[in-house]
Amino acid sequence: MLRNMKDYLQEYRQLIDKTLLEKLDTIQIPETLKQSMIYSVKAGGKRLRPILLLASYEVYGKKTAITLTTAAALEMIHTYSLIHDDLPAMDDDDYRRGMLTNHKAFDEATAILAGDALLTYSFELIANDSQLTADQKVEILQVLTEASGPKGMVAGQILDMQAENQPVTLEELEQIHAHKTGELLRFAVYAGAFLGGASRTELMHLKEFSYYLGLIFQVQDDILDIMGDEAKLGKPVGSDESNQKSTYPKLLGLEGAIEKKTWYVDKAKAALQKANAQESVLMDLTEYFSQRDH
Amino acid sequence: MLRNMKDYLQEYRQLIDKTLLEKLDTIQIPETLKQSMIYSVKAGGKRLRPILLLASYEVYGKKTAITLTTAAALEMIHTYSLIHDDLPAMDDDDYRRGMLTNHKAFDEATAILAGDALLTYSFELIANDSQLTADQKVEILQVLTEASGPKGMVAGQILDMQAENQPVTLEELEQIHAHKTGELLRFAVYAGAFLGGASRTELMHLKEFSYYLGLIFQVQDDILDIMGDEAKLGKPVGSDESNQKSTYPKLLGLEGAIEKKTWYVDKAKAALQKANAQESVLMDLTEYFSQRDH
């Protein structure tokens, strides 16, 4: 069953990159703002969120492109969150994936506005997507605003800040990740499957699936920070330790973290089965998320 | 015809304040984030944008409350823009209307996130507004995302930053204001009239009306900065001069600015006539915008 994931991911990544640039190149706005938005979108990495959206659509729907605008909008929201996270008042990062962060390449005011603009533009794109019905747009926007707003990703950001430099329990750690990175992953799976025509019951099981997928993503992130290859990661390992960040290995030990990951993988796969997606690419993506080396 | 505008404005202001707090009090999110969002929304002033929305609805529709959620969402977007504008990297203001700005009352990271949260939550509220049809939600969201995003308010912010400390023409000044403050005022009029059932032709004329209304608002702002009463304004006069800001009086002289305002008022009223709203409260609001003393 295991597909050639490398080709699969690359094909979708290219499709998403092309869509993102089309949506941004044609927009009539002040040049500096446009350049700043494009800079960070181009600096983007694996495009995991939009790929997950397209993959979830594929499980239930036909292999056409009606999800491309939503996928691009999702990646723009992810990009906005990185731009604001990197600001001096937040994580104060000068580099991301070897490139200057937005406020270093431009300036802080422009970075704040580029983030604001990407967030708002992503909703504009969905509201104007001629491939979706009004009902589809409304449901997508309901789920996406909740996932990215104060109940979702922004809540995760605040919780993460509050947890800095103080001990957290495993449950609190899961809560932070479920909000900070999990919400957009859950939206990806939900939106793809919903537009693909999954039933309400299937959507419910997929919600459980994507909850565990988000945690798999995060525990692997923490494991890579200890065991990873700096060259492949494009960032130094061991930074969690020096930043006094709460991580799975710190709470459970490295062995315990790996065990926890296996448990999450089992839960994710069981949920996929219930969602009638046991033979799908989502199974392969779960393995990929769990074993990725960067 | 001239209504008792003071009572009218106060009645609507109270209705909007009540709606805003209802929407924010009930939201289940981390406490700091919630307090920070509520702090700035409560610190709000005249509620001109949502009042304009309710008034425009009243002209064409029945006097019910189906616009209240949209009006509250609009005020939240206005509030988010003020929070981000006040940040150290932008205007670096410690006070607004005699109260500490958000990043001073909380901290910079929280202020950035409170702004992000208010922006996203406003779209969430509209997408979930049970009083609107899916088609109405989509049109409202199309117009609002465009008005507040990179083509609208965010563009105005960038243009304003770029114009700092350098001479601009009257045309450029109009462009900055049309985007920075005008777009949300235009949305207010459009959304109210659209939900009230105005025809496409009426909406077209109202677009022209609100363009001039925005400029009236701005030229009066500039005039008040010279002639205003500090006690009524709640801020020192003459700050535009010391901040080297481009203003109407600087470009046209005080007499010229007042003349320009009269010309804008004539244009706004002519557009209202064409929109079949010559007998409406929008006429009174135009006078109010033009003659306000704070």
Side-chain angles (χ1 to χ4, degrees):
Chain A
M1 192 189 67
L2 223 107
R3 288 162 183 76
N4 183 338
M5 285 308 285
K6 217 183 136 195
D7 288 352
Y8 180 89
L9 294 172
Q10 192 177 335
E11 188 196 317
Y12 268 175
R13 191 154 46 232
Q14 284 170 352
L15 192 59
I16 290 153
D17 285 348
K18 190 169 151 281
T19 310
L20 280 166
L21 288 186
E22 275 167 15
K23 302 288 181 198
L24 289 167
D25 274 344
T26 51
I27 185 176
Q28 298 280 326
I29 58 170
E31 198 53 31
T32 314
L33 181 61
K34 185 167 169 172
Q35 289 316 319
S36 166
M37 291 164 78
I38 290 178
Y39 175 84
S40 286
V41 167
K42 271 197 177 165
K46 302 186 280 289
R47 312 294 190 202
L48 286 181
R49 289 155 194 81
I51 288 173
L52 195 56
L53 196 157
L54 299 183
S56 301
Y57 176 78
E58 207 188 301
V59 176
Y60 301 93
K62 280 154 268 140
K63 201 172 176 172
T64 65
I66 83 152
T67 46
L68 271 179
T69 299
T70 308
L74 172 59
E75 186 67 9
M76 286 184 199
I77 291 189
H78 174 56
T79 307
Y80 124 77
S81 77
L82 299 181
I83 296 175
H84 281 192
D85 279 12
D86 288 338
L87 286 168
M90 310 272 278
D91 290 350
D92 194 14
D93 281 319
D94 291 354
Y95 289 91
R96 180 175 284 277
R97 291 198 201 89
M99 283 177 71
L100 286 172
T101 46
N102 195 296
H103 64 275
K104 282 289 167 186
F106 295 84
D107 58 46
E108 226 181 298
T110 306
I112 293 167
L113 292 171
D116 293 345
L118 283 168
L119 174 62
T120 314
Y121 188 47
S122 71
F123 299 126
E124 181 179 340
L125 284 173
I126 294 170
N128 287 285
D129 185 357
S130 59
Q131 306 216 59
L132 306 183
T133 66
D135 283 329
Q136 286 175 324
K137 290 177 190 178
V138 168
E139 179 150 348
I140 291 286
L141 285 167
Q142 284 172 341
V143 183
L144 182 55
T145 49
E146 188 171 330
S148 55
K151 297 173 195 161
M153 189 173 63
V154 178
Q157 196 61 34
I158 283 270
L159 293 174
D160 194 27
M161 276 166 42
Q162 289 172 348
E164 253 165 46
N165 303 317
Q166 59 179 36
V168 299
T169 65
L170 180 64
E171 206 187 343
E172 288 165 341
L173 190 67
E174 284 183 346
Q175 273 308 300
I176 293 170
H177 293 318
H179 285 94
K180 194 177 166 180
T181 56
E183 288 279 357
L184 288 193
L185 294 171
R186 272 141 87 185
F187 169 79
V189 173
Y190 188 94
F194 163 69
L195 291 176
S199 71
R200 291 288 154 188
T201 314
E202 286 166 340
L203 287 173
M204 193 188 73
H205 293 304
L206 287 174
K207 225 170 160 174
E208 198 190 340
F209 159 70
S210 50
Y211 175 77
Y212 289 111
L213 188 71
L215 294 177
I216 293 166
F217 181 84
Q218 195 56 51
V219 68
Q220 183 64 4
D221 227 44
D222 291 352
I223 291 170
L224 283 174
D225 191 68
I226 294 175
M227 299 176 63
D229 177 336
E230 294 201 357
K232 280 184 182 164
L233 287 170
K235 62 178 178 187
V237 301
S239 67
D240 289 345
E241 188 60 41
S242 51
N243 291 342
Q244 304 209 295
K245 231 182 99 181
S246 288
T247 66
Y248 281 93
K250 209 172 290 173
L251 281 172
L252 307 171
L254 186 56
E255 282 303 308
I258 292 169
E259 254 173 59
K260 194 78 191 166
K261 185 178 70 172
T262 309
W263 187 80
Y264 288 152
V265 169
D266 290 345
K267 294 293 259 182
K269 287 184 174 175
L272 272 187
Q273 194 120 17
K274 285 184 264 176
N276 303 313
Q278 64 273 26
E279 298 291 321
S280 75
V281 69
L282 294 179
M283 217 61 159
D284 305 314
L285 276 171
T286 306
E287 283 298 332
Y288 173 79
F289 270 57
S290 153
Q291 286 163 28
R292 69 197 169 86
D293 57 8
H294 68 289
Chain B
M1 191 187 68
L2 224 107
R3 288 161 184 76
N4 184 339
M5 284 309 284
K6 218 183 134 196
D7 289 351
Y8 180 90
L9 294 171
Q10 193 177 332
E11 187 196 317
Y12 268 175
R13 190 154 48 229
Q14 284 170 352
L15 192 60
I16 290 154
D17 285 347
K18 190 170 152 278
T19 310
L20 281 166
L21 288 186
E22 275 168 15
K23 302 289 180 199
L24 289 166
D25 274 343
T26 52
I27 185 174
Q28 298 280 327
I29 57 171
E31 198 51 31
T32 314
L33 181 60
K34 185 167 167 172
Q35 290 316 320
S36 166
M37 291 164 78
I38 290 179
Y39 176 83
S40 286
V41 166
K42 271 196 176 164
K46 301 184 281 289
R47 312 296 190 201
L48 286 182
R49 289 155 194 79
I51 288 173
L52 196 55
L53 196 156
L54 299 184
S56 301
Y57 176 78
E58 205 188 302
V59 177
Y60 300 93
K62 280 154 271 147
K63 202 171 175 176
T64 67
I66 83 153
T67 46
L68 270 178
T69 300
T70 308
L74 171 60
E75 187 68 7
M76 287 184 198
I77 292 189
H78 174 55
T79 307
Y80 123 78
S81 78
L82 299 181
I83 296 174
H84 281 193
D85 279 13
D86 288 337
L87 286 168
M90 310 273 279
D91 290 351
D92 195 14
D93 281 319
D94 292 355
Y95 290 91
R96 178 175 286 277
R97 292 199 201 88
M99 283 177 73
L100 286 172
T101 46
N102 196 294
H103 64 275
K104 282 289 167 183
F106 296 83
D107 58 44
E108 225 180 301
T110 306
I112 293 168
L113 291 171
D116 293 346
L118 283 168
L119 175 62
T120 313
Y121 188 47
S122 70
F123 299 126
E124 180 180 340
L125 284 174
I126 294 170
N128 287 285
D129 184 357
S130 59
Q131 306 217 59
L132 305 184
T133 67
D135 283 329
Q136 285 175 324
K137 290 177 191 177
V138 168
E139 179 151 349
I140 291 287
L141 285 167
Q142 285 172 340
V143 183
L144 183 56
T145 50
E146 188 172 329
S148 55
K151 297 173 195 159
M153 189 173 65
V154 178
Q157 197 61 35
I158 284 270
L159 293 174
D160 194 26
M161 276 166 44
Q162 289 171 347
E164 253 165 46
N165 304 319
Q166 60 180 35
V168 300
T169 64
L170 179 64
E171 207 187 341
E172 288 164 341
L173 189 66
E174 284 183 347
Q175 273 308 301
I176 293 170
H177 294 317
H179 285 93
K180 193 176 167 181
T181 55
E183 289 278 357
L184 288 193
L185 294 172
R186 273 141 86 184
F187 169 79
V189 173
Y190 188 95
F194 163 70
L195 292 176
S199 71
R200 292 288 154 186
T201 314
E202 286 166 340
L203 287 172
M204 193 188 75
H205 292 305
L206 286 174
K207 225 170 161 174
E208 198 191 338
F209 158 69
S210 50
Y211 175 77
Y212 289 111
L213 188 70
L215 295 177
I216 293 166
F217 181 84
Q218 196 54 52
V219 67
Q220 184 64 6
D221 228 44
D222 292 353
I223 291 169
L224 283 174
D225 192 67
I226 294 174
M227 298 175 64
D229 176 336
E230 295 200 357
K232 281 182 180 164
L233 287 169
K235 62 179 177 186
V237 301
S239 66
D240 289 346
E241 187 61 40
S242 52
N243 292 341
Q244 303 209 295
K245 229 182 101 182
S246 289
T247 66
Y248 281 93
K250 210 173 286 172
L251 280 173
L252 306 170
L254 186 57
E255 282 302 306
I258 292 169
E259 253 172 61
K260 194 78 191 167
K261 186 179 69 172
T262 309
W263 186 81
Y264 288 151
V265 169
D266 290 346
K267 294 293 257 182
K269 288 185 173 175
L272 272 187
Q273 192 120 20
K274 284 184 263 176
N276 304 313
Q278 64 274 27
E279 298 291 320
S280 76
V281 70
L282 295 179
M283 216 62 158
D284 305 314
L285 277 170
T286 307
E287 283 299 330
Y288 172 78
F289 270 57
S290 153
Q291 288 163 25
R292 69 197 169 87
D293 57 9
H294 66 289

